[in-house]
């Protein structure tokens, strides 16, 4: 088996770029609230309708940011979506928890080709997934589509050469630089 190569070097430019993109999206949303509500009297039907529309646009912006940046942004989206139970109308607006709930049920995943090198750092898998496993590998099969995906990793069904069914959890490769 191959030895681990160690933790990746943090990518400061990536972090700063993500922060700037996120800040720009949130500033746009702040401006949306300010401009949409500025000439409306609080509590009126027009105000409440404009506020709800702002919430929907803001929720969509948050969903797009989490989908774009993945990793910890998805983890934050999952946390916000989980707040829907205890906050009612006084906490996080419902459009936000609804829009971000997609990350609690169906977090985006990567293709097996995109994550294979993570396993190859620790296991001798030959040219998999492009070809079959080498003779020395313990695996007979690893399914290409994950059975589950989350914010930091995904899980694939697999079968060992002795016939045992196992689950293989693969951490997303970008976490080496994002969280190092």
């Amino acid at each position: 088996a191959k030895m681990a190569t160690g933790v990746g070097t943090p990518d400061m430019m990536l972090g700063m770029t993500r922060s700037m993109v996120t800040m720009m999206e949130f500033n746009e949303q702040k401006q949306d609230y300010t401009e949409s509500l500025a000439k409306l009297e609080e509590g009126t039907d027009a105000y409440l309708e404009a506020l709800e529309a702002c919430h929907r646009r803001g929720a969509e912006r948050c969903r797009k940011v989490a989908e774009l940046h993945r990793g910890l942004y998805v983890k934050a989206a999952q946390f916000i979506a989980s707040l829907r139970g205890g906050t009612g109308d006084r906490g996080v607006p419902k459009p936000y928890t609804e829009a971000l709930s997609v990350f609690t049920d169906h977090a985006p995943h990567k293709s097996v080709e995109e994550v294979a090198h993570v396993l190859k750092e620790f296991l001798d898998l030959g040219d998999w997934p492009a070809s079959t496993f080498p003779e020395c590998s313990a695996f007979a099969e690893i399914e290409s589509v994950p059975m589950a995906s989350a914010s930091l990793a995904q899980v694939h069904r697999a079968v060992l050469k002795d016939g045992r069914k196992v689950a293989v959890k693969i951490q997303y490769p970008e976490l080496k630089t994002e969280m190092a």
Side-chain angles (χ1 to χ4, degrees), residues 13 21 26-27 37 49 51 53 58 64 75 111 119 129 168 174 178 180:
M13 186 56 76
V21 167
F26 285 106
N27 281 338
L37 303 175
E49 287 174 20
L51 181 62
K64 285 180 180 178
K75 186 60 88 180
S111 71
L119 286 181
V168 177
E174 63 271 14
E178 290 175 10

Side-chain angles (χ1 to χ4, degrees), residues 161-178:
K161 285 189 176 170
D162 66 9
R164 287 183 290 166
K165 294 179 180 179
V166 297
V168 177
K169 185 175 186 178
I170 307 172
Q171 181 175 309
Y172 294 125
E174 63 271 14
L175 294 179
K176 278 187 157 188
T177 54
E178 290 175 10

Side-chain angles (χ1 to χ4, degrees), residues 112 119 125 128-129 131-134 137-145 156-168:
V112 72
L119 286 181
L125 301 177
W128 176 84
S131 64
T132 59
F133 296 105
S137 175
F139 292 99
E141 175 187 347
I142 298 176
E143 290 185 3
S144 60
V145 177
H156 293 258
R157 288 183 179 91
V159 179
L160 299 178
K161 285 189 176 170
D162 66 9
R164 287 183 290 166
K165 294 179 180 179
V166 297
V168 177

Side-chain angles (χ1 to χ4, degrees), residues 26-171:
F26 285 106
N27 281 338
E28 269 188 52
Q29 188 55 36
K30 180 182 174 190
Q31 186 175 351
D32 186 10
Y33 278 106
T34 300
E35 292 175 2
S36 297
L37 303 175
K39 296 181 178 163
L40 300 174
E41 186 177 334
E42 194 171 338
T44 63
D45 287 345
Y47 179 91
L48 295 174
E49 287 174 20
L51 181 62
E52 185 68 17
C54 282
H55 289 336
R56 284 193 303 274
R57 289 189 297 272
E60 183 60 18
R61 280 188 177 103
C62 287
R63 186 195 61 75
K64 285 180 180 178
V65 164
E67 197 170 77
L68 175 68
H69 297 318
R70 301 179 45 94
L72 291 176
Y73 288 82
V74 170
K75 186 60 88 180
Q78 291 170 336
F79 174 73
I80 292 168
S82 74
L83 296 176
R84 67 177 164 243
T87 60
D89 293 333
R90 297 166 41 111
V92 177
K94 192 173 182 178
Y96 287 90
T97 59
E98 287 175 347
L100 299 176
S101 69
V102 67
F103 297 109
T104 62
D105 301 327
H106 306 288
H109 68 273
K110 292 187 173 280
S111 71
V112 72
E113 290 80 11
E114 292 176 280
V115 298
H117 71 276
V118 174
L119 286 181
K120 289 179 179 184
E121 287 183 27
F122 301 96
L123 303 168
D124 188 355
L125 301 177
D127 291 331
W128 176 84
S131 64
T132 59
F133 296 105
E135 201 53 42
C136 61
S137 175
F139 292 99
E141 175 187 347
I142 298 176
E143 290 185 3
S144 60
V145 177
M147 62 187 272
S149 56
S151 55
L152 305 177
Q154 60 193 44
V155 179
H156 293 258
R157 288 183 179 91
V159 179
L160 299 178
K161 285 189 176 170
D162 66 9
R164 287 183 290 166
K165 294 179 180 179
V166 297
V168 177
K169 185 175 186 178
I170 307 172
Q171 181 175 309

